[in-house]
Amino acid sequence: MQTTTDISKFIKEAASKLGFDACGFCKAQSIGDEQQNFAASWLANGYNADMAYMANNFDKRCDPTILVESARSIVCLALNYFPAEFQREDVPQFAYYAYGKDYHDIVKQKLQTLFDTIKEVVPSLEGRVFCDTAPILERYWASQAGIGFIGKNSLLIIPRKGSFFFLGELIINIELDYDQPLTNHCGNCTRCIDACPTKAIVSPKVINSNRCISYQTIENKGEIDSAIIPLLSNRLYGCDICQKVCPYNHYARPHSTEAFNPSSDFLSLDAEAVANMEVETYQRIFKGSAIKRAKLSGLKRNVEALKHSQGQ
């Protein structure tokens, strides 16, 4: 019979072979009163804007053993998405995470393959795989699993690698050798807070979504807040400002996942092309892309907002 240590080592080796850049383990348990109060306060302040789903299943967000019966461990994983090729700086900008195919599909497929690989050596394995598709505090658990620490911009920062990573989890019914959480290493740095043009980072680790360019250009289904429009900073879909200024992203290196590479059609887009885009072109360029979340109407709304912000 394999020991817990043997299985833990096997999982990390299998994750690395699948291309994951980090893997860590933590115990599946309640997040505790302090974290629950933090989450409840964020919601009470209305910082989730009109993302009502963020308030749903609060008990499951706070305790993964309610979400997955028989849960004993959380396997936390990270997959790099930092691009090797970028848009021109003079065109409306898309967040790096949306350059290629939808990460939900790519990461979840890798997670399922990892789960199936573990089950081959642990036939009694039960559990579920997740990638931003369930009420799970992904960054919190990743920090508990020792992958990284949560920075002042509220994102998970992996030392000597940065923050341009997708996160995913396996919540499973076996014990593992758990990793130690990392302490916060932001120190006195406030570059992300200072650089945010809309002051969406209201305090360390606390984001007011109402002010966030990513929320306004992606999740917001109405009109972009008129107070935000002059501050869009040429951001058409999402925003990476608080990541780009982070000193830890000096360590960012291009990913190795082919599906995350941008197409030539995507890289050739400019404001005029988006403003005049037909449905067929939209469907061709963004097939299988996370950008479809905003729909064509959302992109056209955003490009009009950019024109106003630039006095056009």
Side-chain angles (χ1 to χ4, degrees), residues 257-305:
T257 305
E258 179 68 26
F260 294 156
N261 290 332
S263 67
S264 56
D265 285 339
F266 172 85
L267 291 175
S268 69
L269 290 174
D270 57 21
E272 183 178 0
V274 175
N276 298 319
M277 187 175 289
E278 300 291 341
V279 173
E280 293 78 11
T281 303
Y282 170 80
Q283 292 175 338
R284 174 175 56 81
I285 294 177
F286 298 118
K287 182 180 180 180
S289 165
I291 292 171
K292 293 184 74 174
R293 186 172 182 84
K295 301 181 180 179
L296 178 57
S297 59
L299 290 185
K300 291 194 172 189
R301 174 203 64 183
N302 294 351
V303 81
E304 285 301 314

mmCIF file of all heavy atoms in Angstrom, residues 257-305:
data_model
loop_
_atom_site.group_PDB
_atom_site.id
_atom_site.type_symbol
_atom_site.label_atom_id
_atom_site.label_comp_id
_atom_site.label_asym_id
_atom_site.label_seq_id
_atom_site.Cartn_x
_atom_site.Cartn_y
_atom_site.Cartn_z
ATOM 1 N N THR A 257 1.472 26.829 -23.025
ATOM 2 C CA THR A 257 0.200 26.211 -23.391
ATOM 3 C C THR A 257 -0.256 26.766 -24.733
ATOM 4 O O THR A 257 -0.660 27.936 -24.831
ATOM 5 C CB THR A 257 -0.876 26.463 -22.318
ATOM 6 O OG1 THR A 257 -0.392 26.014 -21.040
ATOM 7 C CG2 THR A 257 -2.170 25.730 -22.658
ATOM 8 N N GLU A 258 -0.199 25.965 -25.754
ATOM 9 C CA GLU A 258 -0.504 26.404 -27.113
ATOM 10 C C GLU A 258 -1.867 27.066 -27.207
ATOM 11 O O GLU A 258 -2.057 28.070 -27.918
ATOM 12 C CB GLU A 258 -0.439 25.206 -28.066
ATOM 13 C CG GLU A 258 -0.757 25.526 -29.521
ATOM 14 C CD GLU A 258 0.285 26.398 -30.204
ATOM 15 O OE1 GLU A 258 1.453 26.371 -29.765
ATOM 16 O OE2 GLU A 258 -0.082 27.112 -31.169
ATOM 17 N N ALA A 259 -2.852 26.535 -26.492
ATOM 18 C CA ALA A 259 -4.227 27.049 -26.580
ATOM 19 C C ALA A 259 -4.359 28.476 -26.085
ATOM 20 O O ALA A 259 -5.340 29.163 -26.414
ATOM 21 C CB ALA A 259 -5.184 26.139 -25.802
ATOM 22 N N PHE A 260 -3.408 28.946 -25.312
ATOM 23 C CA PHE A 260 -3.470 30.316 -24.785
ATOM 24 C C PHE A 260 -2.843 31.339 -25.723
ATOM 25 O O PHE A 260 -2.873 32.536 -25.439
ATOM 26 C CB PHE A 260 -2.788 30.402 -23.420
ATOM 27 C CG PHE A 260 -3.481 29.624 -22.324
ATOM 28 C CD1 PHE A 260 -2.773 29.191 -21.209
ATOM 29 C CD2 PHE A 260 -4.826 29.326 -22.408
ATOM 30 C CE1 PHE A 260 -3.398 28.484 -20.195
ATOM 31 C CE2 PHE A 260 -5.460 28.607 -21.401
ATOM 32 C CZ PHE A 260 -4.751 28.183 -20.293
ATOM 33 N N ASN A 261 -2.262 30.895 -26.824
ATOM 34 C CA ASN A 261 -1.642 31.831 -27.760
ATOM 35 C C ASN A 261 -2.707 32.592 -28.558
ATOM 36 O O ASN A 261 -3.707 32.002 -28.982
ATOM 37 C CB ASN A 261 -0.725 31.092 -28.731
ATOM 38 C CG ASN A 261 0.522 30.567 -28.059
ATOM 39 O OD1 ASN A 261 0.979 31.133 -27.075
ATOM 40 N ND2 ASN A 261 1.084 29.491 -28.595
ATOM 41 N N PRO A 262 -2.520 33.887 -28.782
ATOM 42 C CA PRO A 262 -3.486 34.674 -29.550
ATOM 43 C C PRO A 262 -3.367 34.389 -31.046
ATOM 44 O O PRO A 262 -2.282 34.098 -31.550
ATOM 45 C CB PRO A 262 -3.100 36.116 -29.239
ATOM 46 C CG PRO A 262 -1.622 36.040 -28.971
ATOM 47 C CD PRO A 262 -1.399 34.717 -28.295
ATOM 48 N N SER A 263 -4.476 34.487 -31.747
ATOM 49 C CA SER A 263 -4.460 34.312 -33.192
ATOM 50 C C SER A 263 -3.998 35.599 -33.863
ATOM 51 O O SER A 263 -4.021 36.685 -33.272
ATOM 52 C CB SER A 263 -5.852 33.948 -33.703
ATOM 53 O OG SER A 263 -6.742 35.039 -33.529
ATOM 54 N N SER A 264 -3.602 35.496 -35.115
ATOM 55 C CA SER A 264 -3.187 36.683 -35.862
ATOM 56 C C SER A 264 -4.369 37.630 -36.060
ATOM 57 O O SER A 264 -4.203 38.860 -36.048
ATOM 58 C CB SER A 264 -2.599 36.285 -37.214
ATOM 59 O OG SER A 264 -3.528 35.511 -37.959
ATOM 60 N N ASP A 265 -5.565 37.067 -36.225
ATOM 61 C CA ASP A 265 -6.765 37.905 -36.355
ATOM 62 C C ASP A 265 -6.997 38.716 -35.085
ATOM 63 O O ASP A 265 -7.356 39.898 -35.143
ATOM 64 C CB ASP A 265 -7.994 37.035 -36.638
ATOM 65 C CG ASP A 265 -8.042 36.528 -38.067
ATOM 66 O OD1 ASP A 265 -7.381 37.137 -38.923
ATOM 67 O OD2 ASP A 265 -8.728 35.529 -38.317
ATOM 68 N N PHE A 266 -6.799 38.085 -33.948
ATOM 69 C CA PHE A 266 -6.968 38.784 -32.666
ATOM 70 C C PHE A 266 -5.950 39.914 -32.543
ATOM 71 O O PHE A 266 -6.294 41.050 -32.194
ATOM 72 C CB PHE A 266 -6.815 37.793 -31.510
ATOM 73 C CG PHE A 266 -6.788 38.430 -30.149
ATOM 74 C CD1 PHE A 266 -7.959 38.721 -29.475
ATOM 75 C CD2 PHE A 266 -5.579 38.770 -29.542
ATOM 76 C CE1 PHE A 266 -7.937 39.326 -28.224
ATOM 77 C CE2 PHE A 266 -5.539 39.368 -28.297
ATOM 78 C CZ PHE A 266 -6.725 39.647 -27.640
ATOM 79 N N LEU A 267 -4.709 39.626 -32.839
ATOM 80 C CA LEU A 267 -3.647 40.619 -32.677
ATOM 81 C C LEU A 267 -3.782 41.789 -33.650
ATOM 82 O O LEU A 267 -3.233 42.856 -33.413
ATOM 83 C CB LEU A 267 -2.277 39.956 -32.844
ATOM 84 C CG LEU A 267 -1.862 38.993 -31.725
ATOM 85 C CD1 LEU A 267 -0.557 38.303 -32.069
ATOM 86 C CD2 LEU A 267 -1.745 39.718 -30.386
ATOM 87 N N SER A 268 -4.529 41.581 -34.730
ATOM 88 C CA SER A 268 -4.683 42.649 -35.720
ATOM 89 C C SER A 268 -5.845 43.588 -35.410
ATOM 90 O O SER A 268 -6.038 44.595 -36.099
ATOM 91 C CB SER A 268 -4.886 42.033 -37.106
ATOM 92 O OG SER A 268 -6.153 41.380 -37.196
ATOM 93 N N LEU A 269 -6.616 43.285 -34.367
ATOM 94 C CA LEU A 269 -7.787 44.108 -34.043
ATOM 95 C C LEU A 269 -7.389 45.508 -33.592
ATOM 96 O O LEU A 269 -6.466 45.683 -32.807
ATOM 97 C CB LEU A 269 -8.615 43.444 -32.938
ATOM 98 C CG LEU A 269 -9.371 42.164 -33.305
ATOM 99 C CD1 LEU A 269 -10.009 41.558 -32.046
ATOM 100 C CD2 LEU A 269 -10.444 42.454 -34.348
ATOM 101 N N ASP A 270 -8.132 46.496 -34.097
ATOM 102 C CA ASP A 270 -8.007 47.860 -33.603
ATOM 103 C C ASP A 270 -9.406 48.385 -33.299
ATOM 104 O O ASP A 270 -10.398 47.655 -33.431
ATOM 105 C CB ASP A 270 -7.269 48.759 -34.596
ATOM 106 C CG ASP A 270 -7.935 48.793 -35.975
ATOM 107 O OD1 ASP A 270 -9.144 48.473 -36.091
ATOM 108 O OD2 ASP A 270 -7.247 49.153 -36.946
ATOM 109 N N ALA A 271 -9.511 49.622 -32.865
ATOM 110 C CA ALA A 271 -10.806 50.172 -32.449
ATOM 111 C C ALA A 271 -11.819 50.154 -33.590
ATOM 112 O O ALA A 271 -12.993 49.815 -33.387
ATOM 113 C CB ALA A 271 -10.623 51.600 -31.930
ATOM 114 N N GLU A 272 -11.368 50.498 -34.789
ATOM 115 C CA GLU A 272 -12.277 50.527 -35.930
ATOM 116 C C GLU A 272 -12.803 49.132 -36.256
ATOM 117 O O GLU A 272 -13.986 48.955 -36.557
ATOM 118 C CB GLU A 272 -11.559 51.108 -37.154
ATOM 119 C CG GLU A 272 -12.455 51.234 -38.379
ATOM 120 C CD GLU A 272 -11.734 51.850 -39.574
ATOM 121 O OE1 GLU A 272 -10.545 52.183 -39.444
ATOM 122 O OE2 GLU A 272 -12.367 51.978 -40.632
ATOM 123 N N ALA A 273 -11.916 48.142 -36.174
ATOM 124 C CA ALA A 273 -12.318 46.768 -36.478
ATOM 125 C C ALA A 273 -13.371 46.278 -35.488
ATOM 126 O O ALA A 273 -14.337 45.599 -35.873
ATOM 127 C CB ALA A 273 -11.107 45.850 -36.456
ATOM 128 N N VAL A 274 -13.207 46.609 -34.222
ATOM 129 C CA VAL A 274 -14.189 46.188 -33.210
ATOM 130 C C VAL A 274 -15.499 46.943 -33.403
ATOM 131 O O VAL A 274 -16.583 46.355 -33.349
ATOM 132 C CB VAL A 274 -13.642 46.417 -31.788
ATOM 133 C CG1 VAL A 274 -14.711 46.092 -30.751
ATOM 134 C CG2 VAL A 274 -12.398 45.566 -31.550
ATOM 135 N N ALA A 275 -15.423 48.243 -33.635
ATOM 136 C CA ALA A 275 -16.628 49.060 -33.792
ATOM 137 C C ALA A 275 -17.479 48.603 -34.973
ATOM 138 O O ALA A 275 -18.718 48.675 -34.922
ATOM 139 C CB ALA A 275 -16.246 50.528 -33.953
ATOM 140 N N ASN A 276 -16.823 48.131 -36.028
ATOM 141 C CA ASN A 276 -17.539 47.729 -37.246
ATOM 142 C C ASN A 276 -17.688 46.221 -37.383
ATOM 143 O O ASN A 276 -18.102 45.728 -38.429
ATOM 144 C CB ASN A 276 -16.809 48.272 -38.477
ATOM 145 C CG ASN A 276 -16.768 49.792 -38.487
ATOM 146 O OD1 ASN A 276 -17.749 50.444 -38.149
ATOM 147 N ND2 ASN A 276 -15.626 50.354 -38.867
ATOM 148 N N MET A 277 -17.400 45.489 -36.356
ATOM 149 C CA MET A 277 -17.387 44.038 -36.439
ATOM 150 C C MET A 277 -18.782 43.458 -36.645
ATOM 151 O O MET A 277 -19.740 43.856 -35.981
ATOM 152 C CB MET A 277 -16.754 43.450 -35.166
ATOM 153 C CG MET A 277 -16.529 41.944 -35.216
ATOM 154 S SD MET A 277 -15.647 41.350 -33.737
ATOM 155 C CE MET A 277 -14.000 42.039 -34.051
ATOM 156 N N GLU A 278 -18.868 42.505 -37.559
ATOM 157 C CA GLU A 278 -20.110 41.783 -37.792
ATOM 158 C C GLU A 278 -20.142 40.523 -36.928
ATOM 159 O O GLU A 278 -19.097 40.044 -36.468
ATOM 160 C CB GLU A 278 -20.218 41.387 -39.272
ATOM 161 C CG GLU A 278 -20.211 42.557 -40.239
ATOM 162 C CD GLU A 278 -21.482 43.399 -40.153
ATOM 163 O OE1 GLU A 278 -22.491 42.880 -39.636
ATOM 164 O OE2 GLU A 278 -21.454 44.555 -40.605
ATOM 165 N N VAL A 279 -21.335 39.987 -36.741
ATOM 166 C CA VAL A 279 -21.510 38.817 -35.890
ATOM 167 C C VAL A 279 -20.645 37.653 -36.365
ATOM 168 O O VAL A 279 -19.998 36.959 -35.554
ATOM 169 C CB VAL A 279 -22.995 38.390 -35.848
ATOM 170 C CG1 VAL A 279 -23.140 37.068 -35.095
ATOM 171 C CG2 VAL A 279 -23.834 39.463 -35.181
ATOM 172 N N GLU A 280 -20.600 37.426 -37.656
ATOM 173 C CA GLU A 280 -19.843 36.292 -38.188
ATOM 174 C C GLU A 280 -18.355 36.426 -37.865
ATOM 175 O O GLU A 280 -17.687 35.444 -37.505
ATOM 176 C CB GLU A 280 -20.037 36.191 -39.707
ATOM 177 C CG GLU A 280 -21.439 35.823 -40.152
ATOM 178 C CD GLU A 280 -22.408 37.001 -40.081
ATOM 179 O OE1 GLU A 280 -21.942 38.163 -39.881
ATOM 180 O OE2 GLU A 280 -23.624 36.769 -40.210
ATOM 181 N N THR A 281 -17.832 37.639 -37.993
ATOM 182 C CA THR A 281 -16.419 37.874 -37.686
ATOM 183 C C THR A 281 -16.154 37.678 -36.199
ATOM 184 O O THR A 281 -15.155 37.065 -35.804
ATOM 185 C CB THR A 281 -16.009 39.299 -38.104
ATOM 186 O OG1 THR A 281 -16.286 39.476 -39.487
ATOM 187 C CG2 THR A 281 -14.530 39.531 -37.836
ATOM 188 N N TYR A 282 -17.063 38.200 -35.390
ATOM 189 C CA TYR A 282 -16.952 38.040 -33.935
ATOM 190 C C TYR A 282 -16.910 36.569 -33.566
ATOM 191 O O TYR A 282 -16.060 36.128 -32.768
ATOM 192 C CB TYR A 282 -18.129 38.739 -33.262
ATOM 193 C CG TYR A 282 -18.282 38.454 -31.791
ATOM 194 C CD1 TYR A 282 -17.495 39.108 -30.850
ATOM 195 C CD2 TYR A 282 -19.225 37.529 -31.342
ATOM 196 C CE1 TYR A 282 -17.638 38.852 -29.496
ATOM 197 C CE2 TYR A 282 -19.378 37.262 -29.995
ATOM 198 C CZ TYR A 282 -18.580 37.919 -29.075
ATOM 199 O OH TYR A 282 -18.728 37.654 -27.739
ATOM 200 N N GLN A 283 -17.806 35.780 -34.122
ATOM 201 C CA GLN A 283 -17.877 34.358 -33.804
ATOM 202 C C GLN A 283 -16.638 33.609 -34.268
ATOM 203 O O GLN A 283 -16.180 32.676 -33.605
ATOM 204 C CB GLN A 283 -19.136 33.745 -34.421
ATOM 205 C CG GLN A 283 -20.431 34.249 -33.788
ATOM 206 C CD GLN A 283 -21.672 33.724 -34.486
ATOM 207 O OE1 GLN A 283 -21.631 33.322 -35.651
ATOM 208 N NE2 GLN A 283 -22.795 33.730 -33.771
ATOM 209 N N ARG A 284 -16.077 34.027 -35.388
ATOM 210 C CA ARG A 284 -14.875 33.365 -35.900
ATOM 211 C C ARG A 284 -13.653 33.682 -35.047
ATOM 212 O O ARG A 284 -12.915 32.770 -34.645
ATOM 213 C CB ARG A 284 -14.626 33.794 -37.347
ATOM 214 C CG ARG A 284 -13.309 33.263 -37.928
ATOM 215 C CD ARG A 284 -13.176 33.615 -39.401
ATOM 216 N NE ARG A 284 -13.298 35.049 -39.645
ATOM 217 C CZ ARG A 284 -12.311 35.918 -39.472
ATOM 218 N NH1 ARG A 284 -11.128 35.505 -39.015
ATOM 219 N NH2 ARG A 284 -12.486 37.199 -39.745
ATOM 220 N N ILE A 285 -13.451 34.954 -34.737
ATOM 221 C CA ILE A 285 -12.261 35.346 -33.987
ATOM 222 C C ILE A 285 -12.317 34.874 -32.540
ATOM 223 O O ILE A 285 -11.300 34.446 -31.978
ATOM 224 C CB ILE A 285 -12.078 36.880 -34.034
ATOM 225 C CG1 ILE A 285 -11.771 37.323 -35.473
ATOM 226 C CG2 ILE A 285 -10.947 37.331 -33.097
ATOM 227 C CD1 ILE A 285 -11.640 38.824 -35.630
ATOM 228 N N PHE A 286 -13.507 34.921 -31.942
ATOM 229 C CA PHE A 286 -13.608 34.624 -30.513
ATOM 230 C C PHE A 286 -14.242 33.269 -30.210
ATOM 231 O O PHE A 286 -14.686 33.030 -29.092
ATOM 232 C CB PHE A 286 -14.381 35.736 -29.816
ATOM 233 C CG PHE A 286 -13.720 37.078 -29.919
ATOM 234 C CD1 PHE A 286 -14.344 38.129 -30.566
ATOM 235 C CD2 PHE A 286 -12.457 37.278 -29.402
ATOM 236 C CE1 PHE A 286 -13.737 39.367 -30.680
ATOM 237 C CE2 PHE A 286 -11.827 38.512 -29.509
ATOM 238 C CZ PHE A 286 -12.467 39.555 -30.149
ATOM 239 N N LYS A 287 -14.257 32.387 -31.193
ATOM 240 C CA LYS A 287 -14.774 31.040 -30.956
ATOM 241 C C LYS A 287 -13.956 30.357 -29.857
ATOM 242 O O LYS A 287 -12.730 30.309 -29.907
ATOM 243 C CB LYS A 287 -14.711 30.211 -32.240
ATOM 244 C CG LYS A 287 -15.274 28.807 -32.080
ATOM 245 C CD LYS A 287 -15.196 28.031 -33.391
ATOM 246 C CE LYS A 287 -15.760 26.631 -33.222
ATOM 247 N NZ LYS A 287 -15.685 25.853 -34.492
ATOM 248 N N GLY A 288 -14.649 29.840 -28.849
ATOM 249 C CA GLY A 288 -13.955 29.168 -27.754
ATOM 250 C C GLY A 288 -13.162 30.083 -26.856
ATOM 251 O O GLY A 288 -12.269 29.644 -26.127
ATOM 252 N N SER A 289 -13.469 31.386 -26.881
ATOM 253 C CA SER A 289 -12.722 32.369 -26.098
ATOM 254 C C SER A 289 -13.540 32.853 -24.905
ATOM 255 O O SER A 289 -14.764 32.940 -24.967
ATOM 256 C CB SER A 289 -12.368 33.567 -26.985
ATOM 257 O OG SER A 289 -11.961 34.679 -26.219
ATOM 258 N N ALA A 290 -12.855 33.206 -23.830
ATOM 259 C CA ALA A 290 -13.535 33.775 -22.662
ATOM 260 C C ALA A 290 -14.145 35.131 -22.987
ATOM 261 O O ALA A 290 -15.046 35.600 -22.279
ATOM 262 C CB ALA A 290 -12.545 33.911 -21.507
ATOM 263 N N ILE A 291 -13.693 35.763 -24.051
ATOM 264 C CA ILE A 291 -14.191 37.086 -24.428
ATOM 265 C C ILE A 291 -15.670 37.043 -24.803
ATOM 266 O O ILE A 291 -16.385 38.047 -24.704
ATOM 267 C CB ILE A 291 -13.335 37.660 -25.578
ATOM 268 C CG1 ILE A 291 -11.926 37.958 -25.058
ATOM 269 C CG2 ILE A 291 -13.949 38.932 -26.162
ATOM 270 C CD1 ILE A 291 -10.918 38.318 -26.126
ATOM 271 N N LYS A 292 -16.151 35.871 -25.173
ATOM 272 C CA LYS A 292 -17.562 35.743 -25.531
ATOM 273 C C LYS A 292 -18.473 36.070 -24.351
ATOM 274 O O LYS A 292 -19.663 36.304 -24.527
ATOM 275 C CB LYS A 292 -17.852 34.342 -26.064
ATOM 276 C CG LYS A 292 -17.160 34.057 -27.402
ATOM 277 C CD LYS A 292 -17.531 32.718 -27.977
ATOM 278 C CE LYS A 292 -18.940 32.725 -28.535
ATOM 279 N NZ LYS A 292 -19.260 31.456 -29.236
ATOM 280 N N ARG A 293 -17.898 36.113 -23.150
ATOM 281 C CA ARG A 293 -18.691 36.470 -21.969
ATOM 282 C C ARG A 293 -19.261 37.884 -22.093
ATOM 283 O O ARG A 293 -20.347 38.174 -21.606
ATOM 284 C CB ARG A 293 -17.838 36.359 -20.711
ATOM 285 C CG ARG A 293 -18.603 36.579 -19.408
ATOM 286 C CD ARG A 293 -17.738 36.252 -18.210
ATOM 287 N NE ARG A 293 -18.468 36.401 -16.955
ATOM 288 C CZ ARG A 293 -19.251 35.482 -16.418
ATOM 289 N NH1 ARG A 293 -19.418 34.330 -17.042
ATOM 290 N NH2 ARG A 293 -19.863 35.692 -15.267
ATOM 291 N N ALA A 294 -18.524 38.767 -22.762
ATOM 292 C CA ALA A 294 -18.976 40.151 -22.907
ATOM 293 C C ALA A 294 -19.911 40.334 -24.101
ATOM 294 O O ALA A 294 -20.560 41.361 -24.231
ATOM 295 C CB ALA A 294 -17.778 41.085 -23.040
ATOM 296 N N LYS A 295 -19.942 39.370 -24.987
ATOM 297 C CA LYS A 295 -20.755 39.419 -26.204
ATOM 298 C C LYS A 295 -20.284 40.560 -27.117
ATOM 299 O O LYS A 295 -19.567 41.477 -26.692
ATOM 300 C CB LYS A 295 -22.238 39.547 -25.879
ATOM 301 C CG LYS A 295 -22.762 38.387 -25.026
ATOM 302 C CD LYS A 295 -24.246 38.537 -24.757
ATOM 303 C CE LYS A 295 -24.744 37.369 -23.903
ATOM 304 N NZ LYS A 295 -26.199 37.478 -23.592
ATOM 305 N N LEU A 296 -20.721 40.500 -28.366
ATOM 306 C CA LEU A 296 -20.340 41.530 -29.334
ATOM 307 C C LEU A 296 -20.874 42.891 -28.916
ATOM 308 O O LEU A 296 -20.183 43.913 -29.038
ATOM 309 C CB LEU A 296 -20.861 41.166 -30.726
ATOM 310 C CG LEU A 296 -20.584 42.180 -31.839
ATOM 311 C CD1 LEU A 296 -19.099 42.464 -31.974
ATOM 312 C CD2 LEU A 296 -21.160 41.672 -33.165
ATOM 313 N N SER A 297 -22.093 42.909 -28.395
ATOM 314 C CA SER A 297 -22.671 44.188 -27.963
ATOM 315 C C SER A 297 -21.842 44.816 -26.849
ATOM 316 O O SER A 297 -21.703 46.041 -26.779
ATOM 317 C CB SER A 297 -24.116 43.981 -27.503
ATOM 318 O OG SER A 297 -24.176 43.049 -26.430
ATOM 319 N N GLY A 298 -21.291 43.974 -25.969
ATOM 320 C CA GLY A 298 -20.459 44.487 -24.889
ATOM 321 C C GLY A 298 -19.162 45.083 -25.401
ATOM 322 O O GLY A 298 -18.725 46.145 -24.939
ATOM 323 N N LEU A 299 -18.537 44.430 -26.374
ATOM 324 C CA LEU A 299 -17.299 44.973 -26.944
ATOM 325 C C LEU A 299 -17.554 46.303 -27.642
ATOM 326 O O LEU A 299 -16.755 47.239 -27.529
ATOM 327 C CB LEU A 299 -16.692 43.973 -27.922
ATOM 328 C CG LEU A 299 -16.100 42.683 -27.347
ATOM 329 C CD1 LEU A 299 -15.439 41.866 -28.452
ATOM 330 C CD2 LEU A 299 -15.095 42.983 -26.240
ATOM 331 N N LYS A 300 -18.674 46.395 -28.367
ATOM 332 C CA LYS A 300 -18.978 47.647 -29.059
ATOM 333 C C LYS A 300 -19.305 48.761 -28.062
ATOM 334 O O LYS A 300 -18.929 49.918 -28.276
ATOM 335 C CB LYS A 300 -20.134 47.424 -30.039
ATOM 336 C CG LYS A 300 -19.740 46.545 -31.218
ATOM 337 C CD LYS A 300 -20.750 46.611 -32.339
ATOM 338 C CE LYS A 300 -20.236 45.875 -33.562
ATOM 339 N NZ LYS A 300 -21.071 46.083 -34.760
ATOM 340 N N ARG A 301 -19.989 48.409 -26.985
ATOM 341 C CA ARG A 301 -20.223 49.391 -25.919
ATOM 342 C C ARG A 301 -18.894 49.897 -25.373
ATOM 343 O O ARG A 301 -18.693 51.104 -25.172
ATOM 344 C CB ARG A 301 -21.037 48.741 -24.791
ATOM 345 C CG ARG A 301 -21.217 49.624 -23.553
ATOM 346 C CD ARG A 301 -21.512 48.806 -22.301
ATOM 347 N NE ARG A 301 -20.405 47.939 -21.937
ATOM 348 C CZ ARG A 301 -20.431 47.083 -20.918
ATOM 349 N NH1 ARG A 301 -21.526 46.981 -20.167
ATOM 350 N NH2 ARG A 301 -19.380 46.322 -20.647
ATOM 351 N N ASN A 302 -17.978 48.962 -25.150
ATOM 352 C CA ASN A 302 -16.688 49.330 -24.576
ATOM 353 C C ASN A 302 -15.863 50.208 -25.502
ATOM 354 O O ASN A 302 -15.215 51.158 -25.056
ATOM 355 C CB ASN A 302 -15.900 48.063 -24.229
ATOM 356 C CG ASN A 302 -16.548 47.242 -23.125
ATOM 357 O OD1 ASN A 302 -17.506 47.690 -22.486
ATOM 358 N ND2 ASN A 302 -16.054 46.036 -22.915
ATOM 359 N N VAL A 303 -15.876 49.901 -26.798
ATOM 360 C CA VAL A 303 -15.069 50.702 -27.726
ATOM 361 C C VAL A 303 -15.644 52.103 -27.858
ATOM 362 O O VAL A 303 -14.896 53.088 -28.021
ATOM 363 C CB VAL A 303 -14.942 49.999 -29.098
ATOM 364 C CG1 VAL A 303 -16.154 50.205 -29.974
ATOM 365 C CG2 VAL A 303 -13.682 50.462 -29.819
ATOM 366 N N GLU A 304 -16.960 52.245 -27.745
ATOM 367 C CA GLU A 304 -17.561 53.577 -27.754
ATOM 368 C C GLU A 304 -17.158 54.351 -26.505
ATOM 369 O O GLU A 304 -16.898 55.558 -26.568
ATOM 370 C CB GLU A 304 -19.093 53.461 -27.845
ATOM 371 C CG GLU A 304 -19.600 53.079 -29.208
ATOM 372 C CD GLU A 304 -19.182 54.064 -30.293
ATOM 373 O OE1 GLU A 304 -19.316 55.292 -30.054
ATOM 374 O OE2 GLU A 304 -18.673 53.631 -31.341
ATOM 375 N N ALA A 305 -17.101 53.645 -25.376
ATOM 376 C CA ALA A 305 -16.675 54.298 -24.137
ATOM 377 C C ALA A 305 -15.229 54.774 -24.255
ATOM 378 O O ALA A 305 -14.883 55.870 -23.786
ATOM 379 C CB ALA A 305 -16.823 53.337 -22.961
#
